[in-house]
Amino acid sequence: VRVYYLAAAGVSWAWGGLLSRPLPGTHPLRWQWTLGMIGGSLCLLAAVPFVWGRLAIYTQIDSVFHQIGQATQQISRSHPDDQPHILVINAPTSQVPARLFYLIGSEGAVYLPDYVPLISDLWVNGYIDTDNPPDVILRDSPDTALMPVDAPSLETNNIQQADAIISVIMSGGAMQAVVTGERVSAQASSPPLAVFENGVILESGSLNLSGDQAVMILLWRIKQTVPSDVGIFVHLWCDDTLIAQADGAPLGRVYPFSQWQSGESWRDIRYLTLAAVPDPSCLAGQVGLYDPVSGERLLAAFSNGQRSDTVPILFNQD
């Protein structure tokens, strides 16, 4: 609001007039006009950093919400026969710059109105079909939030009712909205890739390149509840060099295995940002579970009878 009092075009002339008043009436009128015009121009020039910074913030928020729309559209198309429940985590509802953009305080702060539902925004921008619209809700997960989020807190039952999860993550220094989890209902027909000693099953895993990112897709399942939390390590190697990692709980680090219900199965999608895109022939991934307290890795059993604390994920070159 303060920009209207300090930098709006009409009000700037008023400020200029006030700045010219200290001149005695004996001074020529042209000096008063000159000083007033200089004061008004300075007010307008001072607003340039504010406008520029605010434009950059809105552009970034706009990009994130278009990515949310595209992801929602993708999920809806994969559920043509039902109404998918989509959980959007940490969509930006406000941003406060690290430095001051204007004369007083942090006028660069941007707040999106909470009276406009996300589903309405997606509909206006043509991302959802009105005949079979998805159920889309916003939730705040403070442990993984990149900025203040004005949304209800994430609860376990939100995830247990969801068919897919979209998370706002940081990639290459910018915010990005990506699908981090998809519920899987059909049971795998082939032998699992690995079965860990705590009962967690890794059905399959794949590794692909997408621009400057490596995308690892892990299909997890549990037969019975997991009594305690375990950490997941996801490492990307180029030959003998570790070039990226995306550790943490499944589904964008918001749904640890201890909260899963018996028989639950999810496709856990990890995004690993690469400083430089390497020769794909050198890429290989490694996945495993570990005790977050002791750091000790859990053993996994493979279908050939071998056991190891690391599951290799080969790069898909198709």
Side-chain angles (χ1 to χ4, degrees), residues 39-110:
S41 299
L42 289 176
C43 286
L44 291 175
L45 287 174
V48 171
F50 169 84
V51 174
W52 188 264
R54 202 175 185 103
L55 177 61
I57 292 174
Y58 271 120
T59 301
Q60 188 176 36
I61 290 178
D62 179 71
S63 175
V64 169
F65 274 89
H66 278 293
Q67 291 168 359
I68 291 173
Q70 293 166 359
T72 300
Q73 196 173 58
Q74 170 192 337
I75 295 167
S76 297
R77 288 173 177 171
S78 65
H79 293 75
D81 300 326
D82 57 3
Q83 183 184 44
H85 298 275
I86 302 173
L87 180 61
V88 180
I89 300 175
N90 294 333
T93 53
S94 65
Q95 284 194 0
V96 180
R99 64 185 180 86
L100 301 184
F101 271 115
Y102 199 52
L103 301 179
I104 307 174
S106 294
E107 269 90 350
V110 174

Side-chain angles (χ1 to χ4, degrees), residues 219-241:
L219 179 54
W220 299 101
R221 179 168 63 91
I222 64 169
K223 287 185 176 181
Q224 56 189 16
T225 55
V226 179
S228 60
D229 284 334
V230 291
I232 303 176
F233 66 86
V234 175
H235 295 169
L236 181 65
W237 294 80
C238 179
D239 294 329
D240 297 328
T241 304

Side-chain angles (χ1 to χ4, degrees), residues 15-263:
W15 277 97
L18 291 173
L19 291 173
S20 68
R21 290 182 64 84
L23 287 177
T26 55
H27 279 70
L29 184 62
R30 65 176 180 273
W31 289 109
Q32 297 185 34
W33 274 93
T34 300
L35 183 58
M37 293 179 67
I38 291 174
S41 299
L42 289 176
C43 286
L44 291 175
L45 287 174
V48 171
F50 169 84
V51 174
W52 188 264
R54 202 175 185 103
L55 177 61
I57 292 174
Y58 271 120
T59 301
Q60 188 176 36
I61 290 178
D62 179 71
S63 175
V64 169
F65 274 89
H66 278 293
Q67 291 168 359
I68 291 173
Q70 293 166 359
T72 300
Q73 196 173 58
Q74 170 192 337
I75 295 167
S76 297
R77 288 173 177 171
S78 65
H79 293 75
D81 300 326
D82 57 3
Q83 183 184 44
H85 298 275
I86 302 173
L87 180 61
V88 180
I89 300 175
N90 294 333
T93 53
S94 65
Q95 284 194 0
V96 180
R99 64 185 180 86
L100 301 184
F101 271 115
Y102 199 52
L103 301 179
I104 307 174
S106 294
E107 269 90 350
V110 174
Y111 299 93
L112 298 183
D114 56 4
Y115 51 80
V116 179
L118 176 58
I119 195 72
S120 298
D121 178 75
L122 297 175
W123 173 73
V124 167
N125 287 281
Y127 287 117
I128 62 173
D129 182 3
T130 54
D131 295 332
N132 188 32
D135 175 30
V136 187
I137 62 172
L138 291 173
R139 287 297 181 266
D140 170 25
S141 176
D143 293 340
T144 60
L146 303 175
M147 73 228 34
V149 175
D150 185 16
S153 297
L154 176 65
E155 296 180 354
T156 301
N157 62 351
N158 298 140
I159 304 177
Q160 291 174 346
Q161 296 171 5
D163 294 304
I165 293 179
I166 300 172
S167 302
V168 177
I169 65 173
M170 187 65 72
S171 176
M175 289 189 300
Q176 181 182 17
V178 293
V179 179
T180 54
E182 293 178 296
R183 185 180 295 278
V184 178
S185 56
Q187 298 296 324
S189 57
S190 57
L193 188 59
V195 179
F196 289 87
E197 58 184 287
N198 64 344
V200 173
I201 302 171
L202 179 58
E203 295 282 6
S204 62
S206 65
L207 176 63
N208 300 276
L209 277 181
S210 177
D212 62 349
Q213 285 183 326
V215 182
M216 188 178 294
I217 303 176
L218 306 170
L219 179 54
W220 299 101
R221 179 168 63 91
I222 64 169
K223 287 185 176 181
Q224 56 189 16
T225 55
V226 179
S228 60
D229 284 334
V230 291
I232 303 176
F233 66 86
V234 175
H235 295 169
L236 181 65
W237 294 80
C238 179
D239 294 329
D240 297 328
T241 304
L242 179 64
I243 59 174
Q245 62 188 90
D247 301 345
L251 316 186
R253 298 190 289 122
V254 298
Y255 197 34
F257 285 122
S258 61
Q259 297 179 7
W260 289 33
Q261 296 177 317
S262 299

